Amino acid sequence: MQPLRKTLAALALTVLAACGNQQESNTLLVAGQAAFDVLRPGGRTPPPDARQVLSPALIAQSDTSALLVVQLDQNQGFTVIPEAANRGTVQWRSGDDRGLLRRDGIIVGTRGFGHDLYTADVAALDAAFDAGGAADALRVNRFLTPEGKIDTVDMICAVRLTGTETLNIYGKLKRTRVFEEDCRAGGGDFVNRYWVEANGTVRKSIERISPELGAFEITRLTE
């Protein structure tokens, strides 16, 4: 399955290159911006959650790829669309220019949230999806400290295939295999979950970003 995953990634980057000029008018980016608008002085109405705005019709209008992201600790949903790509890593941005970096559907960095994940090495996790699991997948997370230094955390993670699940993504059914990535690292233990389609697309995930930010739930809305 690995060659197919890489082929799909290459096709996605080709589409990304063609859609850069369409970002400002993208309907799903507008939904994401509404969800993260900062209240002006005197404002009384909290910004809407993107989940209150999204619908099958709105998603169908999107002219590019889009993700729904829920910051679980705050129970706040917003949308992101692709902005740039570099050597297989795709940068996604929200309406307020916060960003996610993803490689093969796995988060490898965040920007603009505070206490961000600077970079991550997740090649062993990606390989484990194709192999049906792994007992000792190495994950390397790097965090930028307030002093401007890089704090590197190495973890050995057990990746387990726990079953199958059919997801209903705004009316579209997606059949997936469910993986758990169980990581242990000196007091920072966590379990990430991934819903992976037969062609290798990560349709949904719950991924811990940092101890301070907690986990993001990410759902691919398009394709």
Side-chain angles (χ1 to χ4, degrees), residues 139-209:
R139 167 185 278 271
V140 181
N141 285 354
R142 300 179 186 87
F143 304 95
L144 189 63
T145 69
E147 296 77 25
K149 298 180 180 180
I150 301 297
D151 183 15
T152 301
V153 181
D154 296 350
M155 289 159 279
I156 298 298
C157 306
V159 183
R160 297 184 293 267
L161 175 61
T162 63
T164 62
E165 184 176 348
T166 299
L167 301 176
N168 187 335
I169 309 297
Y170 289 89
K172 293 187 176 181
L173 300 181
K174 302 293 183 178
R175 188 174 179 83
T176 67
R177 296 180 299 159
V178 184
F179 289 88
E180 287 189 350
E181 179 194 20
D182 189 350
C183 298
R184 309 290 175 184
D189 300 352
F190 60 90
V191 177
N192 292 334
R193 292 180 176 82
Y194 307 86
W195 287 256
V196 184
E197 296 180 54
N199 65 3
T201 298
V202 179
R203 180 58 55 179
K204 177 180 175 182
S205 64
I206 299 176
E207 301 174 67
R208 204 281 293 267
I209 306 303

Side-chain angles (χ1 to χ4, degrees), residues 67 69-71 78 80 89-94 97-103 106-120 139 141-144 150 205 207-218:
L67 308 174
V69 183
V70 179
Q71 193 169 348
F78 59 99
V80 293
T89 297
V90 180
Q91 180 177 347
W92 301 74
R93 74 173 177 94
S94 68
D97 291 327
R98 302 187 191 201
L100 305 178
L101 303 174
R102 299 175 91 220
R103 176 179 286 272
I106 303 166
I107 288 184
V108 294
T110 63
R111 299 293 184 268
F113 295 92
H115 302 289
D116 286 297
L117 175 64
Y118 188 63
T119 64
R139 167 185 278 271
N141 285 354
R142 300 179 186 87
F143 304 95
L144 189 63
I150 301 297
S205 64
E207 301 174 67
R208 204 281 293 267
I209 306 303
S210 67
E212 296 84 0
L213 274 178
F216 286 4
E217 178 185 274
I218 303 171

Side-chain angles (χ1 to χ4, degrees), residues 24 28-38 47-48 78-79 93-96:
E24 296 307 327
L28 295 185
L29 184 61
V30 171
Q33 186 167 1
F36 257 130
D37 276 343
V38 177
F78 59 99
T79 52
R93 74 173 177 94
S94 68
D96 70 341

